[in-house]
Amino acid sequence: GDSVTQMEGPVTLSEEAFLTINCTYTATGYPSLFWYVQYPGEGLQLLLKATKADDKGSNKGFEATYRKETTSFHLEKGSVQVSDSAVYFCALIGGATNKLIFGTGTLLAVQP
Amino acid sequence: SAVISQKPSRDICQRGTSLTIQCQVDSQVTMMFWYRQQPGQSLTLIATANQGSEATYESGFVIDKFPISRPNLTFSTLTVSNMSPEDSSIYLCSVAGGSSYNEQFFGPGTRLTVL
């Protein structure tokens, strides 16, 4: 079945460092791909998405590119801030069921 | 995007009791879902709440433990029945539909602790 694999955390960075959180997927057909963010004590927020190969999703300085050839959707940000500290979930929707399948989540801690 | 509210935001319950969680959306949506997030874990889909018919449950979840109602296109409830400490989790509803059919938007979650 469909699945999402993302790098384990925690990821600890200093402010203004470059961020990469790896995400790869397994799916039949052409899934839509998402990054969600969960700030401490809050629910999930959609951060960005991409619905077809080579699409780049971007929001709040974060970017991810849908790479069909490597089945990847890595999250990047050029300069992280303390306020970016959160758990980041990679997810996909495949087929016609509209069911979201999540990765395990990656905790990002940004230190001043 | 839809604005989603959940009640209660958190609760502490005794073993053996039941809790009903409400999810309200500010617009009509095609699909509503309920997820569980156990401490330190990712999200697991419990069921799809179907308007006017029985919910569709995922493997490992049953109606007797997690009865769901969806009386209209803006509201759903999830009941956690006969609770045990293992039910301590965050329960989230999400919605999809309209112009962003393949996007899901999440409510703020209900943090449940069972003693």
Side-chain angles (χ1 to χ4, degrees), chain B residues 12-97:
Chain B
I12 301 173
C13 300
Q14 296 297 318
R15 181 196 300 262
T17 62
S18 298
L19 176 72
T20 296
I21 303 168
Q22 299 178 4
C23 178
Q24 179 75 54
V25 191
D26 69 342
S27 59
Q28 293 186 347
V29 292
T30 306
M31 306 185 78
M32 296 182 77
F33 306 88
W34 286 99
Y35 289 82
R36 181 175 71 182
Q37 186 180 22
Q38 293 177 301
Q41 304 295 314
S42 187
L43 282 79
T44 302
L45 179 63
I46 297 172
T48 302
N50 301 309
Q51 195 265 330
S53 64
E54 197 171 278
T56 304
Y57 289 85
E58 297 300 303
S59 176
F61 298 96
V62 295
I63 188 171
D64 289 347
K65 177 65 176 177
F66 297 102
I68 288 170
S69 77
R70 189 174 174 196
N72 56 52
L73 293 177
T74 64
F75 185 79
S76 178
T77 66
L78 168 75
T79 299
V80 186
S81 302
N82 188 24
M83 288 183 285
S84 67
E86 292 70 35
D87 294 319
S88 297
S89 297
I90 300 173
Y91 292 86
L92 301 104
C93 70
S94 74
V95 303

